[in-house]
Amino acid sequence: LDEVSDLTIRHEPCMHAVNALFRDCEGGIWVATPYNGITYMPRPLKRVEHLELNPQGDNRPTMATCLAEDSAGNLWIATDKHGVLRLRKDGQMDRNPFRGGSATFARDMRNVRTLLADEHRLWMGTSSGGVYAYDLHTGQIRNYRNEPGVATSLCDNEVEDLFRDVSGTIYAGTPWGFARYWRNRDDFRRVNKGGNDLWVCDFAQGA
């Protein structure tokens, strides 16, 4: 990418705070900002575009926290006011991509901190509701939470990051450690920190 010295959004200075950066399959860069929507920088770098996240007539500041692209080319955007949105490949915004779900699920979707698209599932880590897995084919929603004293659960319901390694294994990071997802058991199991190949840092227990 060419150097960008000055970004403006609708003739206003671009906010310096950035929540997340995401590179799509075409090489474009998506920038999630607090209370200023999404900025898109296509490749090759041309005009910087701005994506408005609020419906027409809604002028409330909206925080975009994270982004993920699924295998179909849809871009998923987590926000604090409108939950998780889906920007379809054709450019249309789907403001209600989930069909069904409980009131707890709807509330937790306004507190998504990390997104991960893996095969046919969209994984969503929340600030207090654990991890949700949404099946992109069937619409089924599965919730994984912390159960105190149970090793086959998350370390905490506050999920800061979801990570997939080169083998396809998914990990959920929390302030109190991290857990590994086992596909054959369909559950998370807590991982003891240490070893020669994996470095871990969390808020409560250090590195």
Side-chain angles (χ1 to χ4, degrees):
L1 288 174
D2 297 331
E3 181 181 356
V4 179
S5 57
D6 181 32
L7 297 182
T8 58
I9 296 178
R10 296 168 296 180
H11 308 293
E12 300 173 4
C14 183
M15 292 185 67
H16 296 293
V18 173
N19 284 333
L21 290 170
F22 176 77
R23 182 178 181 180
D24 62 27
C25 60
E26 297 178 349
I29 303 297
W30 298 78
V31 184
T33 69
Y35 309 120
N36 207 17
I38 300 290
T39 296
Y40 174 61
M41 293 179 287
R43 184 183 177 95
L45 189 61
K46 297 179 182 177
R47 182 172 62 90
V48 176
E49 300 179 16
H50 179 73
L51 176 64
E52 184 59 59
L53 298 178
N54 289 340
Q56 188 173 4
D58 187 347
N59 297 320
R60 296 177 300 167
T62 298
M63 177 185 291
T65 56
C66 50
L67 308 139
E69 184 180 20
D70 63 28
S71 58
N74 300 303
L75 184 69
W76 296 83
I77 306 167
T79 73
D80 65 332
K81 296 291 191 304
H82 310 295
V84 177
L85 312 176
R86 177 174 59 182
L87 182 63
R88 299 201 302 259
K89 193 174 181 179
D90 60 8
Q92 297 299 309
M93 181 70 78
D94 186 354
R95 299 186 178 278
N96 185 27
F98 307 113
R99 302 295 181 261
S102 64
T104 299
F105 171 75
R107 183 191 66 232
D108 286 337
M109 288 302 95
R110 288 175 170 77
N111 294 284
V112 172
R113 291 188 171 180
T114 178
L115 291 169
L116 174 67
D118 175 65
E119 297 180 352
H120 64 284
R121 287 177 123 184
L122 178 70
W123 296 83
M124 297 167 282
T126 70
S127 61
S128 61
V131 172
Y132 285 89
Y134 173 70
D135 192 304
L136 298 169
H137 295 162
T138 67
Q140 182 180 5
I141 300 169
R142 175 88 157 85
N143 186 211
Y144 305 85
R145 290 180 176 261
N146 165 260
E147 297 180 36
V150 179
T152 55
S153 70
L154 297 175
C155 302
D156 193 75
N157 283 329
E158 181 181 351
V159 180
E160 297 290 340
D161 197 20
L162 291 167
F163 174 76
R164 181 182 56 217
D165 65 17
V166 293
S167 70
T169 302
I170 294 174
Y171 298 88
T174 78
W176 293 93
F178 71 106
R180 175 182 178 179
Y181 176 68
W182 292 85
R183 296 180 189 273
N184 59 336
R185 303 185 183 102
D186 191 25
D187 63 21
F188 280 89
R189 303 207 170 198
R190 299 171 190 175
V191 178
N192 292 327
K193 294 181 291 184
N196 297 323
D197 302 320
L198 186 62
W199 287 85
V200 177
C201 181
D202 59 48
F203 296 139
Q205 301 184 50

